[in-house]
């Protein structure tokens, strides 16, 4: 029965418009919280009936059942708190949703209820209704309750969990429901997240529903676009030259293929590739055995494609699946026996006559017509100085020997007698006469050593002519035989030779044997044609090389580091006594007393005993402290000193992570100074590419978070390996944990799992603005947690907002916005109008005016100025604006600088100068620059955002959070009273978010997913679902898919490339580019390109000279693409530095070419860091020197532009855009029609999802009509995609067909003979065998990478593979 209720007003009763539940055969009641519920209840009571159907009066007196107490029923006898229904109603009211409605169903098992939520759009007044929150069938037993009241409260609890699972609401619930929340509901959520249904637990289900509807609409739109594209392709005309596979039906097989690019391979190049593939390719390396069912299906399917059954069965014996079997056949079956669809257009069997030696070519043709490979015929004919007879005998011997090495170890007959013995000569002549008398007209004598006999083969339509050449030792050896039969594949004839000569060797030697051979052939040829035997048996003579017949096995070298010894928690050992003695002696020095007095003035000192006690008693300690409290410098020292005094100094090994290199360096310096030691002894550091620490001596090591993660990542992978990697670590301190960057969240997951197995390990979390409750809840389930809060000790800081700054500086933007304009005079304009004129962008003139005003206020008082800016470009523009100010010592500070350059900000400025530091947010926390007295805060930060639906990444300049601005402000009050000049209004500050969103929720997750998989974790989504703030499931799935397309993952397994990328701390595309650069011999160039991508292009583009700047950029590498132009400019700058060391000269040269000297220096610095990272990962030798001959192979091909373009495309894949050229137009000329270059605007570009993209106007290819190379490029590789008025791509490089084939997505062969499909979207017309050869080459390149991972030496075979691939991409498959 469905209850009815009113929605207000005085109208009649109406049915509630609630989505009806899907179950059938049950009764449902819909409850409403509407105001007229009381009236509805009265109405319902009037309609009530008894069980027997008779309407009865309400019972009276003693018959009235006692009304149950809902609070006791739901919460228990002692419960005084709120009930689930009330909490849900309050939550809906706070969220401005409609009151929740409840369905009610009654079944034999009991009552069950579901909640329906509604929300009205305040603008459109549109009501959004969610489907009922239905618990999955596997958990349906939980929802069954004995009474309707209990069912309703259960439904409310489940609905609360669905929208508030990330909050601590369960503490307000009655005990039974609290247990459900932390038990079954939590397990249910984990299952849903694992299955990609994390969206069900979004805090705003209406927004989640809207996003899913948009995503579905977008997918539908793309599907419709693809269908339209297919419809357009269906209209393409049929192209001649390709066979119709439909038996004469008028079906156009070339739909969608008519205008795709064509890929070809030169004859000599193809022979070289086939030679190498047959020798080195490995088939079915895992030894997979096909089932009889699979084998039968493969045979039937491939027979339909035109292959011989015997060939397919042979291939199936060696291959693992249908695709590999098809590849094996296309490689091994001779061209004259391949199905027509697999041959190139216009294929004609035979060899080409390329030289002027007609006699030599005629000999080669006669020999190759016998069925032997023309290449082998050429080699042997040259080896025997043109002697055709000796060459023919050597060819036949190949069929009966095992070839070695590269297939050129032919049976050497050069030592045999040149002339025939007299007695043998008589035997041969007598046999010839007998044969002529037997066969009559069928016998023909060609020369004294050669005769021909026409065979009569029953049941065969082919004609057969047997040629017999007398061998050197006949009849002690068999004669040389060859067969001519039009249309009979060469390998079948070779099989005949092998079998007939084998018969002769076994039965006929030392006697005339030709008649017996003819007789045997005439009877056996039909059998051999029907079943010619294994292709491998004749492959040595049919091809230029034999193939390794056994699967190669590789032994992996264990790359896990030497595991440290576990801590010995034994007090008073000799080492601990020695450490204690040294520590006590140091306490007595005057220098240490002075430092101790300074430390005692910090707020943290008063909590020294509390900190030590809390750390001792808990596995996890959370320390929150304001700026200047001393938490970062003192807490670790308190712990160490306590252990030393307890005679446990030898067990102490404290690792303190910092989010930035400069923080680790600064803290190491500061703490070592406070302990009166040298950095690298008791206190050390380890950052990317730089380390100062001594095993067993260093007790406190400050590291970047990434360094510790790499230590854990290279430990072996499993949880036990991670635990073992930290075996010698007593404490892990995670500082600035509030920043919630990707590395920190990843580290916290690992530490939480380690704490379960290492109960003696202590973890300390520290931050200035820490939400301690979030972290406490995260670790509560696995470890005991203690909390400490330290009060700050910052000096007073006065705030000045934008209106105050404008008034103080009398700044007037006027009509000029030139960065070099330093005019700051006031023209009476009001402050309000000035602020309005400034807008939201950073005004560098205002920054310069503020610096000038602060400097004037300070006068002779010493003190530095710290300017916070969002990025490196803004830092450079600020430095340009303030360098002209007198008495200014300007310094940059950002993450891309070398450590030595970053340290320049700490010493005081030169005498008479004022230090002004332009910094990114690296200066917000952990470091103390002693002399800072003023902070200028632009309030901006560069933040990455990622949209997983369209895979778009945006680096946007956004407002910083209030927490970040508070940290910035605190930099001015660390050592004395200061001032903070905020270049934004109070209103803008009020709109800032309290804290930034965790990085894991707003950045691409490819690198994180790769790191997780590199640690041996297979179920990546489930692992990431256990993070402090789980990422969107769509983002995780997209990241795993992209890793597969990049070649880092194959299924669930890491590829060799993936193992390399996991060890390199760089953007995956940059890492992949550097790995390939080292493999293919252009490391130096790829290092530069990767650094340019990490920093930015060195070219500047002034608003007044944009076209001139673009022309200057294009001039460095015309039509080669943006990145190669940037590379050429960087190399030219290096040449200038070598030849003209004068800074003024170099600066003038940079200005002429629109280059930024600072950016070029940053690129150079980043290159050095990447070299250090590659060396640390073991990819480069520790002594790598570009000028050394020992490493010349790593950069011998730096100047090969086609190779560089191909490697950039390899690194960026799948970020490729297909080039669609318009139809060719012609113009009349004296010499005839001349093809015209297409206009740039008529060339179109399409991404893998068939979306059209446009070249960004700033690109050097924006106006490109022609591209480099003899053949047009197939696609553009792009680094970034930007959506504005259109979807633009930038940082471009054009690449050819072989770049896409070698380094693109998975290759698929079109079995209709139209060509090859790369990555499921990029079509290229070409011979199917080319696709197979390239596929095998790709596997061989992967094996080269695998050897590098396993520490194998670079061998001749590896160089051959790399050389062939290099030649293919440089020459686009041609011979020259």
């Amino acid at each position: 029965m469905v209850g009815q209720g009113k929605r207000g007003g005085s109208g009649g009763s109406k049915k509630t418009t609630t989505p009806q539940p899907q179950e059938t055969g049950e009764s449902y009641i819909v409850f409403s919280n509407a105001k007229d519920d009381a009236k509805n209840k009265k109405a319902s009571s009037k309609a009530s009936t008894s069980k027997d159907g008779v309407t009865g009066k309400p019972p009276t007196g003693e018959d009235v059942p006692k009304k149950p107490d809902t609070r006791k029923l739901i919460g228990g006898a002692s419960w005084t708190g709120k009930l689930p229904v009330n909490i849900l109603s309050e939550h809906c009211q706070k969220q401005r949703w409609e009151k929740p409605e409840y369905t009610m169903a009654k079944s034999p098992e009991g009552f069950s209820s579901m909640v329906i939520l509604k929300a009205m759009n305040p603008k459109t007044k549109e009501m959004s209704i969610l489907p009922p929150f239905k618990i999955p069938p596997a958990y349906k037993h939980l929802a069954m309750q004995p009474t309707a009241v209990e069912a309703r409260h259960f439904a409310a609890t489940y609905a609360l969990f669905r929208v508030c699972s990330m909050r601590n609401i369960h503490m307000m619930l009655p005990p039974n429901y609290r247990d459900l929340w932390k038990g079954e509901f939590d397990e249910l959520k984990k299952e849903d997240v694992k299955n990609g249904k994390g969206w069900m637990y979004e805090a705003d289900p209406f927004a989640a529903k809207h996003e899913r509807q948009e995503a579905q609409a977008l997918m539908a739109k793309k599907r419709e676009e693809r269908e339209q594209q297919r419809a357009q392709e269906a209209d393409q005309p049929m192209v001649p030259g390709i066979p119709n596979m439909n038996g004469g039906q008028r079906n156009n097989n070339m739909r969608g293929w008519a205008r795709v690019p064509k890929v070809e391979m030169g004859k000599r190049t193809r022979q070289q590739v086939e030679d190498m593939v047959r020798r080195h390719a490995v088939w079915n390396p895992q030894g997979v055995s096909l089932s009889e069912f699979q084998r039968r299906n493969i045979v039937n399917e491939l027979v339909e494609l035109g292959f011989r059954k015997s060939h397919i069965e042979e291939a199936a014996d060696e291959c693992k699946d249908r695709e590999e079997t098809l590849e094996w056949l296309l490689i091994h079956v001779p061209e004259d026996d391949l199905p027509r669809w697999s041959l190139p257009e216009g294929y004609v069997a035979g060899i080409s006559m390329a030289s002027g030696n007609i006699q030599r070519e005629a000999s080669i043709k006669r020999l190759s017509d016998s069925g032997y490979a023309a290449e082998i015929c050429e080699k042997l004919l040259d080896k025997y100085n043109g002697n055709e007879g000796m060459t023919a005998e050597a060819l036949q011997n190949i069929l009966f020997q095992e070839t070695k090495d590269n297939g050129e170890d032919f049976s050497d007959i050069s030592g045999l007698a040149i002339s025939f013995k007299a007695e043998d000569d008589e035997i041969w002549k007598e046999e010839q006469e007998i044969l002529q008398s037997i066969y009559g007209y069928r016998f023909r004598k060609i020369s004294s050593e050669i005769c021909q006999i026409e065979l009569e083969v029953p049941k065969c339509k082919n004609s057969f002519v047997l040629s017999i050449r007398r061998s050197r030792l006949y009849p002690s050896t068999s004669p040389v035989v060859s067969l001519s039969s039009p249309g009979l594949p060469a390998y079948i004839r070779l099989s005949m030779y092998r079998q007939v000569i084998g018969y002769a060797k076994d039965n006929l030697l030392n006697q005339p044997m030709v008649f017996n051979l003819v007789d045997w052939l005439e009877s056996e040829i039909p059998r051999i044609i029907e079943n010619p035997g294994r292709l491998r048996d004749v492959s040595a003579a049919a091809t230029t090389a034999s193939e390794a017949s056994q699967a190669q096995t590789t032994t992996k070298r264990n790359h896990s580091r030497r595991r440290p010894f576990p801590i010995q928690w034994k007090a008073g050992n000799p080492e601990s006594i020695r450490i204690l003695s040294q520590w006590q002696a140091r306490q007595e020095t005057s220098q240490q007393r002075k430092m101790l007095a300074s430390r005692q003035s910090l707020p943290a000192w008063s909590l020294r005993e509390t900190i030590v006690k809390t750390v001792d008693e808990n596995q996890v300690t959370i320390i929150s402290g304001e700026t200047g409290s001393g938490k970062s410098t003192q807490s670790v020292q308190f712990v160490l000193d306590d252990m030393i005094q307890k005679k446990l100094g030898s067990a102490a090994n404290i690792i303190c992570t910092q989010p930035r290199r400069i923080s680790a360096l600064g803290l190491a310096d500061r703490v070592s100074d406070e302990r009166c030691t040298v950095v690298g002894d008791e206190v050390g550091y380890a950052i990317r590419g730089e380390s100062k620490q001594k095993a067993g001596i260093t007790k406190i090591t400050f590291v970047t978070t990434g360094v510790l993660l790499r230590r854990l990542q290279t430990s072996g992978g499993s949880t036990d390996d991670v635990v073992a990697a930290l075996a010698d670590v007593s404490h892990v301190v995670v500082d600035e944990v509030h920043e919630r960057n990707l590395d920190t969240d990843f580290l916290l997951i690992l530490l939480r799992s380690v704490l379960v197995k290492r109960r003696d390990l202590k973890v300390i979390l520290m931050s200035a603005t820490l939400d301690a409750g979030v972290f406490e809840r995260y670790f509560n389930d696995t470890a005991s947690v203690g909390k400490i809060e330290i009060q700050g000790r910052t000096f007073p800081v006065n705030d000045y907002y934008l209106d105050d700054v404008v008034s103080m500086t009398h700044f007037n933007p006027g009509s000029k916005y030139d960065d070099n304009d330093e005019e700051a005079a006031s023209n009476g304009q009001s402050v309000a109008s000035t602020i309005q004129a400034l807008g939201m962008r950073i005004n560098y003139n205002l920054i310069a005016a503020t610096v000038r005003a602060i400097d004037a206020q300070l006068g002779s008082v010493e003190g530095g100025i710290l300017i916070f800016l969002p990025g490196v470009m803004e830092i450079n523009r600020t430095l340009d604006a303030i360098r002209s100010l007198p008495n200014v010592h300007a310094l940059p500070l950002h993450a891309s600088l070398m450590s030595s350059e970053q340290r320049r900000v700490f010493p005081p400025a030169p005498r008479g100068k004022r230090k002004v530091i332009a910094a990114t947010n690296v200066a917000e926390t952990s470091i103390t620059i002693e002399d800072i007295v003023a902070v200028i805060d632009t309030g901006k930060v560069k933040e990455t955002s990622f949209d997983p639906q369209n895979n778009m990444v945006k680096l946007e300049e956004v407002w910083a959070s209030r927490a970040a601005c508070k940290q910035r402000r605190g930099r001015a009050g660390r050592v004395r009273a200061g001032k903070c000049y905020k270049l934004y209004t109070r209103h803008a500050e009020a709109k800032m978010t309290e804290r930034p969103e965790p990085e894991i929720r707003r950045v691409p997750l490819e690198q994180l997913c790769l790191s997780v998989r590199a640690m041996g974790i297979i179920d990546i989504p489930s692992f990431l679902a256990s993070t402090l703030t789980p990422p969107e499931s769509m983002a995780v799935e997209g990241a795993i898919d992209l890793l597969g397309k990049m070649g880092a993952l194959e299924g669930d397994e890491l590829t060799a490339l993936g193992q390399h990328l996991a060890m390199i701390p760089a953007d995956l595309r940059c890492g992949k580019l550097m790995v390939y650069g080292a493999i293919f011999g252009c490391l130096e160039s790829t290092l530069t390109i990767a650094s340019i991508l990490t920093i930015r292009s060195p070219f500047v583009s002034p608003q007044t000279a944009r076209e001139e700047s673009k022309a200057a950029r294009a001039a460095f590498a015309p039509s080669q693409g943006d990145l190669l132009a940037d590379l050429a400019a960087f190399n030219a700058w290096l040449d200038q530095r070598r030849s003209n060391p004068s800074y003024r000269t170099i600066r003038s040269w940079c200005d002429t070419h629109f280059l930024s000297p600072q950016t070029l220096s940053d690129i150079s610095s980043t290159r050095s860091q990447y070299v250090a990272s590659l060396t640390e990962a073991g990819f480069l030798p520790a002594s790598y020197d570009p000028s050394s001959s020992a490493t010349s192979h790593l950069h011998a091909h730096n100047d090969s532009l086609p190779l560089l373009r191909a490697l950039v495309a390899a690194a960026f894949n799948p970020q490729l855009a297909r080039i669609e050229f318009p139809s060719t137009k012609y113009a009349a000329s004296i010499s005839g029609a001349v093809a015209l270059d297409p206009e740039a605007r008529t060339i179109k570009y399409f991404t893998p999802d068939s979306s059209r993209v446009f070249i960004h106007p700033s690109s050097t290819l924006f106006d490109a009509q022609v591209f480099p190379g003899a053949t047009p490029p197939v696609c553009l590789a792009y680094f970034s995609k930007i959506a504005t008025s259109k979807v633009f791509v930038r940082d471009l490089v054009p690449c050819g067909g072989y770049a896409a084939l070698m380094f693109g997505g998975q290759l698929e062969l079109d079995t209709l003979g139209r060509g090859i499909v790369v990555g499921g979207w990029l079509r290229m017309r070409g011979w199917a065998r080319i696709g197979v050869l390239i596929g095998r080459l790709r596997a061989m390149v992967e094996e080269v990478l695998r050897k590098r991972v396993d520490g194998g030496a670079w061998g001749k075979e590896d160089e051959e593979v790399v050389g062939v691939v290099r030649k293919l991409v440089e020459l686009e498959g041609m011979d020259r």
Side-chain angles (χ1 to χ4, degrees), residues 28 42 54 98 132 189 250 389 591 616 748 770 1008 1262:
Y28 289 88
K42 293 178 182 178
V54 181
E98 299 292 302
K189 179 180 177 181
R250 296 183 58 82
Q591 185 181 7
D616 282 345
L748 292 181
L770 182 68
L1008 177 61
F1262 180 70

Side-chain angles (χ1 to χ4, degrees), residues 277-340:
V277 167
R278 286 194 174 98
R279 282 185 282 112
H280 303 311
V282 179
W283 303 91
N284 193 6
Q286 286 78 33
V288 177
S289 296
L290 294 172
S291 67
E292 190 58 36
F293 175 77
Q294 292 172 315
R295 182 187 176 90
R296 187 167 56 251
N297 284 346
I298 290 173
V299 171
N300 293 338
E301 185 176 348
L302 296 185
V303 164
E304 290 293 323
L305 291 179
F307 292 99
R308 290 179 184 269
K309 184 177 180 180
S310 60
H311 296 167
I312 304 168
E313 290 173 342
E314 180 181 351
D317 288 339
E318 300 192 28
C319 299
K320 63 180 181 180
D321 53 27
R322 182 253 189 203
E323 286 69 27
E324 192 171 80
T325 303
L326 179 59
E327 291 184 7
W328 193 99
L329 291 168
L330 290 170
I331 287 286
H332 290 84
V333 174
E335 295 170 16
D336 54 0
D337 200 28
L338 282 172
R340 181 65 187 169

